[in-house]
Amino acid sequence: MTTTTTRAIPVLDDDPFTEESLRDPLPFQERLREAGSVVLLEKYDVYAMGRYDTVHTALLDWQSLQSSAGVGLSNFRYEKPWRPPSLLLEADPPHHNAPRATLEKILSPRAIRRMTPAWEQDAHDLLDEVLSGPREFDAVPALAEVYPLRVFPDAVGLREEGRDALLPYGNHAFNAFGPANFLVVEGAPHTQSLSAAVAQMCARGQLEESGFGADIWAASDRGDISVDQAPLIVRSLLTAGVDTTVHAIGAMIYALASNPAQWEALKADPSLVRTAFDEAIRLESPVQTFFRTAKSDVEIDGHLIPEGKKVLMFLSSANRDHRRWDAPDAFDLTRDPSGHVGFGMGIHQCVGQHVARLEAASLIGAMVERVDTIEIAGPTERHLNNTLRAWHSLPVRVTLR
Ligand code: 4IA
């Protein structure tokens, strides 16, 4: 391939990682989608894509677009990673294969389904507590943050000590995929102690005898993975499994509370709980972005991306691309959201998605049984993060059935 066959790449001078853009990312995402299928973001010298087709294709092309140079802005070819790279997220085949296969088995739909009775009971217990108090409350601390932290650390087999590091550790990890902006600077003083707390929880002796953590260590006994790999694979659960589910549940509660007709539709047909969750993931894309690195000169839709350059995929923008979705900005339980790229696509597609789906279905399923109406009761507040779309505060008012 020669450069004479490729087309000029549109250039944008936008910075998607400013406070203003993170607060309201939709205007930039629209400019990105409409500027072209691949756009050079001058400020960072990265190639960004926001159309569904292009993002989808890029996610599947692990041969050309590698993960092992990091899936953040930082290029591991030239910069030292802030922590030892993830054996799942920041790895390519063949190294990716054994950790992925191990975790896929441990988090399989069948394995996760076994949690259903306990997690449904936990959801009802939490609602007993919350709904016995004032009928106006902040759904972020009361539900979205509490519920995953009730069920997931127990399922991993974590002791109590160190659990309070999980959310802030994940928050920093997701900021660290972006540039070293104000959010990374704010988080920096705490990184070392949070990393140490999380690393400690991954050790075999710190984990309960049953749970996902013990399952990972058992895989090392069988030789499926090495003993050195086990604690890092446990770390992946702790990095990827807490903030993501908290913010996904927040997104779902917000979507339902601000779309009363959809809440009514869900009450009328509770089998829609899983659609509601995936539709909320599509609409809000709790994980907004990920990078890849061009393994060699790559041609995408006629555009040349030079070897070693970073490629920034806007999952969020793809999930609202009018080329793929009718009325993309509407939260609509009659659509089939299942092609969204909010969990990624291809060999790295979220290995924990069955965990996330069961958490969300258990909580919202319990709410549907007990709550008659839910509405936004006051000013909402965003939680800013370089990768996550999140709520800090969601005041809601509920009436009971
Ligand atoms: C890991 C994409 C995101 C949910 C994620 C973050 C961290 C890791 C995996 C996935 O540390 O392995």
Side-chain angles (χ1 to χ4, degrees), residues 304-324:
L304 174 77
I305 298 176
E307 194 236 323
K309 294 293 184 187
K310 282 281 171 171
V311 173
L312 172 51
M313 306 171 297
F314 279 84
L315 311 179
S316 47
S317 170
N319 283 340
R320 286 183 184 239
D321 183 359
H322 63 81
R323 295 164 189 78
R324 169 65 178 79

Side-chain angles (χ1 to χ4, degrees), residues 83 86-89 174 177 235-236 239-240 244 287 290:
R83 60 173 197 166
S86 163
L87 301 179
L88 287 135
L89 183 72
F174 284 99
F177 293 123
R235 191 195 67 178
S236 282
T239 314
T244 49
V287 175
F290 264 101

